[in-house]
């Protein structure tokens, strides 16, 4: 459970980082284009942010901005391991003749098959505090979501018994505005003392809340402007968008830039509603519309900022921007619409895609390498060059994103770099009873959840003879971990068989993969259908 929570938090961090880049990109575009974008297109830029926060995985693209800004993402979950392994090209595996040499060293193991994926996140072992931080994040997300729901429900209860507007003159203006805006949904007109300014509340059954002061002081024309503005929120489904953003922000409560972006989104939302409302009135009325907005904002200083509410709001700086837009709005929208669409498409291609993985980007190079003539001599390899050892082998363990295979020499695969310092280390010298192996040494390295047994015939180089896994951090070459089910084993190893040790219960036995020719074996100890122990070992003749 803790591992799953940490994986989820890694994914949230990844999405939050990518969303941060998108927000900065949106601000850059807004600054470059200034007032060239129509209000609705400016607002739609923020909908790209909602899409980015909604999608934990997005397609790869060579046009992605993340090719230039490598961000870390959590691609090391069990499912990702398995997907990467199942898609590994068979051509990468070594020839059988090389694998058959019983005591020959393999190539250095430092590059997992998914290491080319953009920004693979470090394993939990590299960040031992991440489980605790994940719990803090979950508590914060639940608290934030609970607070959002509580304040909105409390406000809904307060306005539930508010009376409808009964003035026939006001109702007539309201019905006329509904027809002008072509709103097909039922919208109730309520006189409310809870509303500090005219506002729309509710997603399923929207209510237009009008303070008594506004009903008594605004003339028919000003009421019409207010109604057109608030009905624009209904037409554009703004309250649903606000709810969505609030839920997403609850998950990303730790990112202040996203909260600031949401504030700017709400401001652009109001301007987009102004723009839509202005399409229903004559050009000569735009200044009167602006005057009505100013009058409302001056009269009602306190404003409600809730997910389930959309109201006429704005500070002095934002008011100035709105007035400029209102009084200068023109209907030469064809070119502006094309510009807005182009901006949306470009930003989507850049920020709603992931960086091209190294595996895909280097496909041409791999093909060229495959066509190169075979060499009979052992190739000279630079010290920094890394290759994976037998990626298709069943007899290997993945640790911290690296593959450790049977018969790998510890110094060649840089075992200390992969696993760090062991909890304990024990070396035993074989006595006369070991026959031809007398004088050889067996070294046992114990880590948290993993024990390695190494063999050395010359007391110089040790190679991996056995690996025992008891913790969920490690996995087999195909991705099976402690805690997986029998069904998952059988899916990844279709030819696996129950070990012939007398046990026949498929949920309480040992499953094994055997290679008797090379004396290599992979065993899964299963209890109640769950993997409790994994052993990969080589029997020395």
């Amino acid at each position: 459970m803790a591992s799953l929570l940490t994986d989820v938090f890694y994914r949230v961090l990844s999405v939050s980082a990518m969303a941060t880049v998108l927000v900065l990109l949106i601000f850059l575009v807004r600054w470059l284009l200034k007032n060239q974008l129509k209000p609705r297109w400016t607002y739609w830029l923020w909908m790209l942010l909602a899409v980015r926060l909604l999608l934990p995985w997005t397609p790869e693209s060579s046009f992605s901005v993340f090719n230039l800004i490598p961000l870390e993402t959590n691609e090391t979950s069990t499912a990702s391991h398995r997907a990467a392994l199942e898609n590994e090209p068979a051509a990468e595996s070594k020839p059988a003749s090389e694998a058959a040499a019983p005591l020959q060293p393999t190539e250095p193991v430092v590059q997992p098959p998914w290491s080319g994926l953009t920004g693979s996140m470090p394993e939990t072992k590299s960040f031992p505090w991440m489980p605790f931080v994940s719990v803090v994040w979950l508590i914060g997300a639940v608290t934030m979501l609970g607070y959002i729901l509580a304040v909105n429900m409390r406000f809904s209860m307060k306005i539930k018994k508010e009376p409808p507007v009964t003035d026939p003159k006001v109702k007539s203006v309201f019905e006329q505005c509904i027809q002008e805006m072509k709103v097909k949904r039922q919208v109730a007109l309520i006189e409310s003392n809870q509303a500090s300014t005219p506002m729309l509340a509710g997603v399923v059954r929207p209510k237009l809340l009008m303070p008594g002061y506004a009903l008594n002081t605004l003339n028919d024309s000003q009421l019409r402007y207010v109604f057109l503005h608030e009905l624009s929120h209904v037409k554009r489904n703004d309250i649903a968008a606000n709810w969505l953003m609030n839920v997403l922000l609850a998950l990303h409560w730790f990112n202040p830039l996203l909260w600031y972006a949401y504030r700017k989104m709400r401001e652009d939302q109001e301007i987009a509603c102004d723009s839509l409302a202005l399409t229903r009135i004559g050009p000569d009325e735009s200044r009167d519309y602006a005057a009505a907005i100013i009058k409302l904002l001056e009269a009602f200083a306190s404003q409600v900022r809730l997910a389930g509410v959309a109201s006429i709001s704005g500070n002095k700086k934002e008011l100035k921007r709105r007035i400029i837009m209102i009084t200068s709005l023109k209907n030469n929208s064809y070119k502006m619409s094309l510009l807005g669409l182009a901006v949306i498409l470009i930003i989507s291609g850049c920020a709603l895609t992931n960086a091209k993985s190294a595996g895909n980007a280097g496909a041409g190079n791999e093909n060229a390498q495959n066509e190169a003539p075979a060499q009979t001599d052992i190739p000279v390899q630079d010290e920094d060059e890394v290759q994976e050892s037998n990626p298709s082998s069943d007899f290997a363990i993945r640790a911290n994103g690296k593959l450790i295979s049977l018969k790998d020499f510890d110094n060649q695969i840089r075992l200390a770099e992969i696993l760090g310092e062991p909890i304990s280390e024990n070396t035993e010298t074989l006595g006369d009873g070991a026959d031809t192996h007398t004088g050889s040494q067996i070294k046992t390295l114990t880590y948290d959840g993993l024990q390695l047994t190494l063999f050395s015939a010359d007391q110089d180089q040790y190679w991996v003879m056995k690996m025992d896994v008891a913790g969920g951090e490690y996995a087999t070459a195909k991705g099976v971990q402690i805690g997986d089910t029998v069904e998952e084993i059988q899916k990844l190893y279709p030819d696996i068989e129950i070990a012939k040790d007398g046990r026949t219960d498929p949920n309480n036995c040992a499953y094994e993969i055997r290679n008797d020719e090379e004396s290599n074996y992979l065993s899964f100890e299963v209890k109640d259908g769950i993997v409790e122990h994994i052993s990969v070992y080589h029997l020395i003749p």
Side-chain angles (χ1 to χ4, degrees), residues 34-221:
K34 298 189 183 300
N35 296 324
Q36 298 300 312
L37 278 180
K38 292 185 65 178
R40 65 171 178 172
W41 291 108
T42 303
Y43 176 72
W44 270 103
L45 290 175
W46 298 118
M47 293 299 98
L48 296 182
L49 176 60
V51 173
R52 174 70 267 185
L53 293 173
L54 274 173
L55 299 179
W57 292 276
T58 52
E60 297 177 359
S61 171
S62 56
F63 297 102
S64 175
V65 68
F66 301 111
N67 289 303
L68 304 175
I69 310 174
L71 295 177
E72 293 183 339
T73 61
N74 183 19
E75 300 289 350
T76 56
S77 63
T78 303
S80 299
H81 285 345
R82 292 171 181 168
L85 287 165
E86 290 172 358
N87 292 328
E88 283 184 295
E92 293 182 4
S93 59
K94 293 179 180 287
S97 59
E98 289 184 34
L103 296 180
Q104 293 298 318
T106 58
E107 296 297 330
V109 180
V110 290
Q111 179 99 7
W114 55 83
S115 61
L117 295 175
T118 301
S120 58
M121 181 67 77
E123 292 284 341
T124 305
K125 185 174 181 179
S126 302
F127 299 95
W129 38 264
M130 283 308 293
F132 171 75
V133 177
S134 302
V135 173
V136 173
W137 162 76
L138 181 62
I139 293 173
V142 172
T143 302
M144 184 63 65
L145 187 58
Y147 173 77
I148 292 172
L149 291 173
V151 295
N152 279 273
M153 289 180 65
R154 185 164 60 247
F155 184 78
S156 297
M157 294 300 293
K158 287 181 179 180
I159 66 173
K160 189 174 183 180
K161 296 182 180 180
E162 297 280 8
V165 173
T166 57
D167 189 328
K169 195 174 182 180
V170 175
K171 291 175 64 177
S172 176
V173 175
F174 183 61
E175 291 297 332
Q176 180 184 351
C177 291
I178 288 180
Q179 293 178 6
E180 288 186 57
M181 294 298 296
K182 297 180 181 179
V183 174
K184 298 181 180 180
R185 300 172 62 187
Q186 187 74 25
V187 182
L189 182 61
I190 305 296
E191 181 178 352
S192 173
N193 294 323
Q194 301 296 329
S196 59
T197 181
M199 64 180 63
L200 188 76
V203 178
V204 180
R205 297 176 181 176
K207 298 178 180 180
L208 204 168
L209 308 178
M210 294 292 295
Y213 174 83
L215 292 173
N216 296 328
T217 58
L218 298 179
N219 59 40
D220 291 351
S221 295

Side-chain angles (χ1 to χ4, degrees), residues 10 53 68 169 325 419 440:
Y10 270 138
L53 293 173
L68 304 175
K169 195 174 182 180
M325 187 282 300
L419 298 173
S440 299

Side-chain angles (χ1 to χ4, degrees), residues 367-403:
N367 292 335
Q369 292 174 0
N370 291 337
E371 294 174 0
Q375 299 181 3
T376 55
D377 297 332
I378 298 177
V380 178
Q381 186 176 14
D382 187 84
E383 184 177 355
D384 295 331
E385 182 182 357
V386 294
Q387 296 180 352
E388 185 171 315
S389 174
N390 296 326
S392 62
S393 171
D394 289 330
F395 309 103
I397 291 296
R398 293 201 179 275
N400 295 330
K402 307 299 187 295
L403 185 67

Side-chain angles (χ1 to χ4, degrees), residues 12 16 43 95 98 149 163 230 260 290 301 344 355 363 392 460 492 500:
V12 171
S16 193
Y43 176 72
E98 289 184 34
L149 291 173
E230 295 303 327
Y260 178 72
I344 293 291
S392 62
D460 182 17
L492 294 171
K500 299 177 181 179

Side-chain angles (χ1 to χ4, degrees), residues 290-464:
I293 298 296
I294 293 173
K295 183 175 182 179
L296 283 170
L297 293 178
E298 289 178 344
F300 307 107
S302 61
Q303 300 163 8
V304 178
R305 287 280 187 175
L306 298 177
V309 167
S311 62
I312 296 179
S313 60
N315 53 37
K316 291 183 178 180
K317 182 179 179 181
E318 193 58 32
L319 177 60
K320 180 180 178 181
R321 179 183 167 213
R322 290 177 69 175
I323 298 305
I324 293 174
M325 187 282 300
I326 290 170
T327 56
S328 62
L329 186 66
K330 298 180 180 179
N331 290 326
N332 56 344
S333 60
Y334 180 71
K335 292 183 178 179
M336 294 299 99
S337 295
L338 287 180
L339 176 62
L341 180 60
V343 169
I344 293 291
L345 292 177
I346 291 173
I347 294 183
S348 298
C350 292
L352 296 186
T353 54
N354 282 337
K356 199 75 173 177
S357 70
N360 292 335
N365 295 334
E366 291 177 3
N367 292 335
Q369 292 174 0
N370 291 337
E371 294 174 0
Q375 299 181 3
T376 55
D377 297 332
I378 298 177
V380 178
Q381 186 176 14
D382 187 84
E383 184 177 355
D384 295 331
E385 182 182 357
V386 294
Q387 296 180 352
E388 185 171 315
S389 174
N390 296 326
S392 62
S393 171
D394 289 330
F395 309 103
I397 291 296
R398 293 201 179 275
N400 295 330
K402 307 299 187 295
L403 185 67
I404 305 174
S405 299
L406 290 178
K407 296 176 284 186
D408 280 343
F409 283 131
D410 62 340
N411 59 343
Q412 288 186 329
I413 64 173
R414 302 169 185 172
L415 196 59
E417 295 182 12
I418 299 175
L419 298 173
E421 291 296 325
I423 298 174
S424 64
E425 178 178 333
N426 181 56
T427 302
E428 175 187 359
T429 301
L430 299 181
D432 295 337
D435 299 327
T436 58
H437 299 296
T438 299
S440 299
Q441 290 189 333
I442 293 179
K443 181 187 296 184
T444 303
L445 304 177
T446 302
Y447 303 87
D448 184 15
L450 175 68
Q451 186 177 81
L452 295 185
T453 303
L454 309 179
F455 179 85
S456 175
D458 53 12
Q459 301 182 11
D460 182 17
Q461 283 190 320
Y462 287 87
W463 52 268
V464 179

